[in-house]
Amino acid sequence: MSNSRKLVGHLPAAGAIIVDEKNRVLLQLRTDNNKWCIPGGAIILGETTEEAAKREVFEETNLVVEELSLFNVYSGEEQHWIYPDGNEVYFISIVYITNRFNGTMKVDGIEGKELRFFAIDNLPQEITPSNKPILNDVKNRLVHIFQPKDKVYNLH
């Protein structure tokens, strides 16, 4: 095992893209880097990815997710992260999406200091780097995800 393997590791993580009735995306302002990100975090041993995403959403936002759909899996250079204590990881991020949630939103005050829904075309400039590819994908795909199933398009 090389020395770099001791200092840099892979960290499985799960998160959720929470979309409200106005197709806005919930982001939290992190306390450690003062940047915005989706709710999420490390998967605990023995936990499923869905359980981890639901737990992280609840811990960070006080919202209860009713159902999740797999959005995408992210890994590689764009998922590199250095924690304030110097620990360095590459996330393997399993990201879900939902518009089915309930509860009263509340900041945890530990990992996040603000929660806010943003229009996908009006996201804040300061995004956590590992979330940039996720939010770019949301921007490109959101219009197609939660289309009303009973909407009829007149092509004439």
Side-chain angles (χ1 to χ4, degrees), residues 12-16 38-43 48-54 56 92-96:
I38 65 170
I43 299 169
T48 69
T49 57
E50 293 92 347
E51 289 168 344
K54 288 179 178 183
E56 286 287 342
I92 300 169
S93 297
I94 298 93
V95 179
Y96 293 91

Side-chain angles (χ1 to χ4, degrees), residues 20-77:
D20 72 1
E21 69 281 352
K22 296 177 183 175
N23 261 4
R24 298 177 304 173
V25 176
L26 178 63
L27 298 178
Q28 72 168 335
L29 184 59
R30 294 183 58 88
T31 56
D32 61 358
N33 68 357
N34 207 38
K35 295 185 183 206
W36 295 90
C37 68
I38 65 170
I43 299 169
I44 296 172
L45 290 175
E47 196 174 40
T48 69
T49 57
E50 293 92 347
E51 289 168 344
K54 288 179 178 183
R55 175 185 51 76
E56 286 287 342
V57 167
F58 182 74
E59 288 175 0
E60 295 175 1
T61 70
N62 200 49
L63 296 175
V64 176
V65 173
E66 295 174 18
E67 68 181 54
L68 292 168
S69 297
L70 182 62
F71 183 74
N72 206 352
V73 177
Y74 297 86
S75 60
E77 289 294 325

Side-chain angles (χ1 to χ4, degrees), residues 85-144:
D85 65 5
N87 283 325
E88 191 172 349
V89 297
Y90 285 85
F91 291 117
I92 300 169
S93 297
I94 298 93
V95 179
Y96 293 91
I97 191 165
T98 188
N99 63 355
R100 306 264 332 250
F101 60 93
N102 62 62
T104 303
M105 202 163 57
K106 180 181 171 191
V107 178
D108 75 352
I110 300 166
E111 292 183 47
K113 56 183 174 179
E114 186 178 344
L115 294 166
R116 192 184 318 165
F117 282 96
F118 291 92
I120 197 62
D121 291 328
N122 194 24
L123 295 176
Q125 292 294 314
E126 295 298 318
I127 300 288
T128 297
S130 62
N131 272 223
K132 286 181 180 180
I134 297 167
L135 292 170
N136 282 336
D137 285 351
V138 172
K139 192 173 195 174
N140 293 329
R141 293 173 46 194
L142 187 60
V143 71
H144 303 290

